[in-house]
């Protein structure tokens, strides 16, 4: 049965996110989101992740969308109601269709479009989430922020692109994927009545100078992080991935593991490999096993750590150090995440050393706690209290690192953001940049925070 005032009843796949205190699934189900863009990235990434989250109603004005992510959205949310107007928003007439939206998302790089959307938002009191890709030809990245009518300030000038007559497609899949995740987190904040992110959040780095085409990558963990990290790598040109995971797909995974709508009960690693191959033309292989001391990692140039337990994360750090492997380690919680990278010749610390996993595991062993008990307690403590808003973001993760491997509760945005950044950090490292650490957090009092630091400055 459906209550018109509350929208469709939440599906069991939303169970994990409904465990988050203050979660309001009905707000997502009833909302209509207006999305405007210039090309298939990042509007398609937003659509797929929003559908996994349980959003159902979209009006999209964009010349084209990525067919694979449209199919993902439709498979995840069978009751999807969406209209796609093919073209650019260059006149106020089609903008009138957006006036019934609960929130607007502007991915366009066209100045005229930005102005039309801003005027529409202001005239009809609609919150507006703005995302801009970097226009410097030597760099890639984005800036994003949020606007509520009545809070006009000097930031408005920055909301309008300098390009008034020619839009620039967002070609970089990694930064587009991360930006789409940040935009979705901001939309959720708007719909839940949480404070918006008014200060610009920026991520910019030099263009990658290396190809991923012949790289051999082991992705350890085919869950939520593995879904986004592997697909982003594939979209960035990486073809040869081997996925390791001993788990099977459960229906409650589908709020964040976007490629498994048709794979309930199947082993995750082979299922994800099949999706990457059929949707993106990859040459991926799935191994339905966990990685342990006996697993042969010699064929791989890079290891991506997408697991959700301390023991395996520590083991991967140790093996990367011993065997001279590049390691990109990611972790997420419901409202935060991190990427820690290790290069055998340039990094000062392994991810396990940076996060003090030895100390965490030793303390847990002394206290006689199981991994699940320890992680759950830290998760609950962190969710209830959280770090002060003026605490340096990167310093909040060492003390509460265990919350980043807690799988329950969990949500799509942090996994989308961190999975995309894992792929991007790998490209940065292969281009000769120092080991990069990225820390993301979304807390109610201050909005979204994003910090990128050099390993040598840690």
């Amino acid at each position: 049965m459906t209550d018109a005032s509350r929208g469709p009843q939440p599906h069991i796949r939303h169970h994990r996110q409904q465990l988050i205190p203050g979660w309001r699934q009905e707000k997502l189900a009833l909302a209509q989101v207006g999305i405007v863009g210039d090309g298939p990235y990042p509007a398609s990434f937003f659509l797929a992740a929003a559908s996994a989250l349980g959003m159902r109603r979209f009006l999209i004005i964009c010349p084209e969308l990525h067919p694979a992510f449209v199919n993902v959205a439709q498979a995840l949310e069978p009751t999807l109601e969406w209209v796609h107007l093919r073209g650019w928003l260059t006149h106020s007439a089609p903008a009138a269709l957006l006036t019934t939206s609960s929130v607007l998302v502007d991915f366009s790089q066209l100045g005229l479009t930005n102005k039309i959307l801003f005027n529409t938002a202001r005239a009809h009191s609609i919150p507006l989430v703005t995302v801009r890709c970097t226009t410097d030809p030597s760099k890639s990245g984005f800036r994003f922020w949020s606007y509520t009518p009545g809070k006009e300030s000097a930031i408005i000038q920055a909301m309008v692109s300098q390009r008034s007559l020619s839009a620039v497609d967002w070609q970089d899949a990694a930064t587009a994927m991360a930006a789409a995740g940040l935009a979705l987190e901001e939309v959720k904040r708007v719909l839940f009545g949480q404070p918006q992110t008014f200060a610009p959040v920026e991520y910019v780095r030099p263009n990658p100078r290396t190809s991923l085409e012949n790289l051999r990558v082991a992705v350890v963990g085919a869950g939520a992080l593995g879904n986004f990290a592997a697909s982003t790598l594939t979209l960035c040109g990486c073809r040869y991935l081997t996925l390791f995971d001993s788990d099977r797909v459960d229906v409650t995974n589908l709020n964040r593991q976007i490629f498994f709508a048709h794979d309930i009960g199947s082993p995750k690693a082979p299922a994800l490999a099949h999706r990457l191959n059929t949707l993106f033309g990859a040459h991926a292989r799935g191994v339905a096993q966990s990685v342990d001391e006996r697993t042969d990692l010699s064929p791989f140039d890079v290891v991506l750590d997408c697991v959700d337990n301390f023991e395996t994360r520590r083991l991967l750090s140790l093996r990367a150090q011993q065997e001279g492997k590049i390691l990109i380690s990611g972790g997420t919680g419901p409202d935060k995440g991190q990427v820690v990278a290790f290069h055998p010749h340039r990094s000062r610390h392994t991810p396990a050393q940076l996060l003090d996993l030895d100390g965490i595991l030793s303390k847990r062993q002394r206290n006689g706690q199981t991994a699940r008990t320890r992680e759950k307690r830290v998760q609950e403590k962190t969710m209830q209290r959280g770090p002060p808003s003026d605490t340096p973001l990167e310093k909040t993760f060492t003390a509460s690192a265990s919350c980043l491997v807690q799988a329950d509760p969990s949500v799509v945005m942090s996994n989308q953001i961190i999975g995309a950044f894992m792929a991007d950090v790998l490209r940065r490292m292969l281009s000769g940049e120092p080991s990069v650490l990225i820390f993301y957090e979304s807390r109610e009092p201050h909005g979204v925070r994003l910090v990128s630091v050099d390993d040598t400055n840690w």
Side-chain angles (χ1 to χ4, degrees), residues 290-447:
S290 301
V291 169
D292 57 26
E293 297 86 347
R294 298 165 296 178
T295 305
D296 183 13
L297 298 180
S298 61
F300 307 110
D301 307 299
V302 175
V303 177
L304 262 62
D305 165 15
C306 301
V307 300
D308 62 355
N309 68 84
F310 294 149
E311 288 80 4
T312 304
R313 297 186 75 182
R314 178 182 178 277
L315 173 65
L316 291 175
S317 280
L318 182 63
R319 293 199 58 181
Q321 189 175 43
Q322 292 174 341
E323 301 177 32
K325 300 290 184 183
I326 293 175
L327 174 64
I328 310 295
S329 181
T332 63
D335 58 3
K336 64 175 63 176
Q338 64 176 19
V339 179
V340 180
F342 171 76
H343 192 291
H345 306 302
R346 297 202 300 268
S347 300
R348 294 178 59 196
H349 310 95
T350 66
Q353 291 168 339
L354 283 166
L355 300 176
D356 190 27
L357 295 188
D358 284 341
I360 292 172
L361 288 168
S362 296
K363 184 176 180 180
R364 190 177 70 191
Q365 187 175 20
R366 289 195 305 270
N367 294 340
Q369 296 174 326
T370 65
R372 184 66 172 176
T373 299
R374 171 63 181 168
E375 291 163 13
K376 187 173 183 61
R377 287 182 180 176
V378 176
Q379 173 70 24
E380 291 171 349
K381 185 177 180 181
T382 303
M383 287 175 61
Q384 290 170 2
R385 182 178 61 193
S389 59
D390 58 349
T391 301
L393 180 56
E394 63 274 19
K395 299 303 182 185
T396 70
F397 287 88
T398 300
S400 61
S402 54
C403 72
L404 298 177
V405 296
Q406 174 64 28
D408 192 7
S410 191
V411 73
V412 69
M413 291 85 75
S414 57
N415 289 287
Q416 181 177 19
I417 294 163
I418 296 303
F421 278 134
M422 290 178 74
D424 202 50
V425 166
L426 173 59
R427 294 192 304 171
R428 294 179 65 172
M429 183 171 285
L430 293 174
S431 296
E433 293 188 49
S435 300
V436 179
L437 318 177
I438 293 179
F439 302 92
Y440 152 77
E441 183 183 42
S442 174
R443 281 286 178 184
E444 185 170 331
H446 54 68

Side-chain angles (χ1 to χ4, degrees), residues 17 20-25 27-28 31 33 46 49-50 53-55 102-105 127 129 144 146 180-197 334-336 411-414 440-444 447-448:
Q17 62 202 39
I20 300 171
W23 193 265
R24 304 186 66 183
Q25 190 66 36
K27 291 288 187 180
L28 303 174
V33 181
F46 181 97
L53 195 65
M55 304 184 76
S102 309
V103 60
L104 299 174
V105 183
V129 177
F144 109 93
S146 197
L182 288 164
L184 182 56
E185 171 63 29
E186 189 69 10
V187 167
K188 184 269 292 181
R189 295 177 69 89
V190 169
L191 295 176
F192 285 9
Q194 298 170 337
Q196 293 174 238
T197 306
D335 58 3
K336 64 175 63 176
V411 73
V412 69
M413 291 85 75
S414 57
Y440 152 77
E441 183 183 42
S442 174
R443 281 286 178 184
E444 185 170 331
V448 169

Side-chain angles (χ1 to χ4, degrees), residues 133-187:
C133 72
T134 301
T135 57
D136 186 330
S138 66
K139 298 179 180 179
S140 296
F142 59 82
R143 299 179 78 207
F144 109 93
W145 57 93
S146 197
Y147 162 74
T148 296
K151 295 186 178 294
E152 286 79 1
S153 65
I155 198 174
I156 293 175
Q157 184 175 357
M159 297 179 74
V160 179
S161 173
Q162 295 180 354
R163 296 179 178 270
S164 295
L165 297 176
S166 60
V168 178
D169 279 354
W170 199 326
Q171 299 289 343
D172 185 74
T175 55
M177 184 71 79
L182 288 164
L184 182 56
E185 171 63 29
E186 189 69 10
V187 167

Side-chain angles (χ1 to χ4, degrees), residues 245-323:
D245 200 311
S246 60
D247 288 345
R248 292 179 177 270
V249 179
D250 183 82
V251 67
T252 60
N253 298 148
L254 299 185
N255 77 318
R256 63 201 184 281
Q257 300 177 24
I258 64 173
F259 294 107
F260 292 151
H262 301 299
D263 298 304
I264 304 300
S266 300
K268 288 183 180 180
L272 181 55
H274 175 68
R275 298 300 168 197
L276 296 176
N277 295 341
T278 55
L279 295 176
F280 309 118
H283 302 289
R285 182 172 69 97
V287 180
Q289 297 177 358
S290 301
V291 169
D292 57 26
E293 297 86 347
R294 298 165 296 178
T295 305
D296 183 13
L297 298 180
S298 61
F300 307 110
D301 307 299
V302 175
V303 177
L304 262 62
D305 165 15
C306 301
V307 300
D308 62 355
N309 68 84
F310 294 149
E311 288 80 4
T312 304
R313 297 186 75 182
R314 178 182 178 277
L315 173 65
L316 291 175
S317 280
L318 182 63
R319 293 199 58 181
Q321 189 175 43
Q322 292 174 341
E323 301 177 32

